[in-house]
Amino acid sequence: MTTSAILEDVFRWRRDVRHFRPEPVAEATLDELLQVASMAPSVGLSEPWRFMRVDSPTRRDAVRGIFARSQADALAERESEDAAAYARLKLAGLDDAPHHIAVFSVEDPIQGRGLGRRTMPETTVWSTVMAIHTFWLAAAARGIGVGWVSILEPEAVRQALESPASWRFIAYLCVGYPSERHDTPELERLGWEQRQSACREWVRR
Ligand SMILES: Cc1cc2nc3c(=O)[nH]c(=O)nc-3n(C[C@H](O)[C@H](O)[C@H](O)COP(=O)(O)O)c2cc1C
């Protein structure tokens, strides 16, 4: 297989994973994923991402509680038919994923000396998202699943994890070996949403 074919295969089979097998990922492999994620581009070379392993059962329980509350609020806001479809979705693997990783972005990092952020300060967050995506792809290439959980109250998560006030909460990742392998998103398989072709056409001016 050519390098581009291998890469495209990783893109095609990378999924948001919500169903995990219980066995843990080797510590050396998790460290490797973090090293690969750190190769992501960042505005001004600021490397604003902060990956936090959440191992404490008490803290994990706190995050599960925040997720449950956010889910209940999201459900309450939906019309009955839509709410029923929403309630059938599994939107996190918080109970079965062997590893939990919270990702933060330093709001105003010294590193990078402000380069590239004067007019677009949000570029630090975008850099952190690129590191998350790099982590996600590196994991997929090793047969490891990642599920991004955003149905959370950011300030509540920050407090539960006692992260510094200058770190903005970006993502909560469930990580482990997937119990199923698919080349289509779960939300598509469950009839919630479908991939569109819009990005396959150029917008021209
Ligand atoms: C910023 C972001 C937040 C997301 N939050 C959630 C979430 O809270 N729960 C969930 O089940 N999936 C979440 N996802 C995963 C998306 O639902 C998923 O990427 C999309 O359905 C496409 O599926 P795929 O990643 O398998 O291609 C999130 C993805 C992104 C990029």
Side-chain angles (χ1 to χ4, degrees):
M1 247 177 154
T2 62
T3 307
S4 62
I6 293 170
L7 198 55
E8 277 170 36
D9 201 56
V10 174
F11 291 152
R12 183 161 300 112
W13 286 92
R14 178 216 52 81
R15 288 278 70 76
D16 185 87
V17 174
R18 294 123 179 154
H19 311 266
F20 294 92
R21 304 204 312 254
E23 67 265 29
V25 177
E27 282 299 317
T29 308
L30 289 171
D31 287 346
E32 222 172 80
L33 294 183
L34 191 61
Q35 294 306 318
V36 177
S38 307
M39 292 177 194
S42 61
V43 63
L45 196 51
S46 58
E47 300 179 299
W49 45 76
R50 297 293 179 271
F51 286 73
M52 180 192 279
R53 292 274 298 273
V54 181
D55 295 334
S56 141
T58 316
R59 292 196 202 271
R60 285 187 180 194
D61 275 351
V63 173
R64 274 190 205 98
I66 298 165
F67 174 76
R69 283 198 298 281
S70 304
Q71 272 281 70
D73 291 348
L75 205 53
E77 280 173 11
R78 290 181 176 269
E79 302 294 335
S80 59
E81 201 180 310
D82 195 37
Y86 183 89
R88 281 194 291 273
L89 304 173
K90 185 180 186 207
L91 293 172
L94 290 168
D95 291 332
D96 42 346
H99 307 284
H100 289 199
I101 300 173
V103 188
F104 299 83
S105 196
V106 180
E107 291 272 34
D108 190 13
I110 294 166
Q111 188 177 333
R113 299 157 62 189
L115 192 147
R117 322 189 235 124
R118 191 178 69 82
T119 55
M120 300 180 74
E122 63 276 31
T123 45
T124 47
V125 169
W126 299 347
S127 305
T128 297
V129 171
M130 299 204 74
I132 294 170
H133 193 216
T134 307
F135 181 94
W136 206 338
L137 291 171
R142 290 162 175 77
I144 297 164
V146 173
W148 184 323
V149 187
S150 60
I151 305 166
L152 292 165
E153 184 53 50
E155 185 50 27
V157 174
R158 218 190 55 67
Q159 282 179 21
L161 302 182
E162 293 181 273
S163 57
S166 57
W167 293 11
R168 178 166 164 192
F169 173 68
I170 306 298
Y172 198 83
L173 307 179
C174 296
V175 178
Y177 290 101
S179 55
E180 306 163 354
R181 191 163 184 258
H182 297 279
D183 64 353
T184 46
E186 183 164 326
L187 294 187
E188 189 164 326
R189 283 183 279 119
L190 296 176
W192 177 263
E193 193 51 276
Q194 286 212 313
R195 283 190 189 280
Q196 304 295 317
S197 60
C199 289
R200 295 187 204 133
E201 290 160 20
W202 298 107
V203 175
R204 292 185 192 274
R205 291 280 181 272

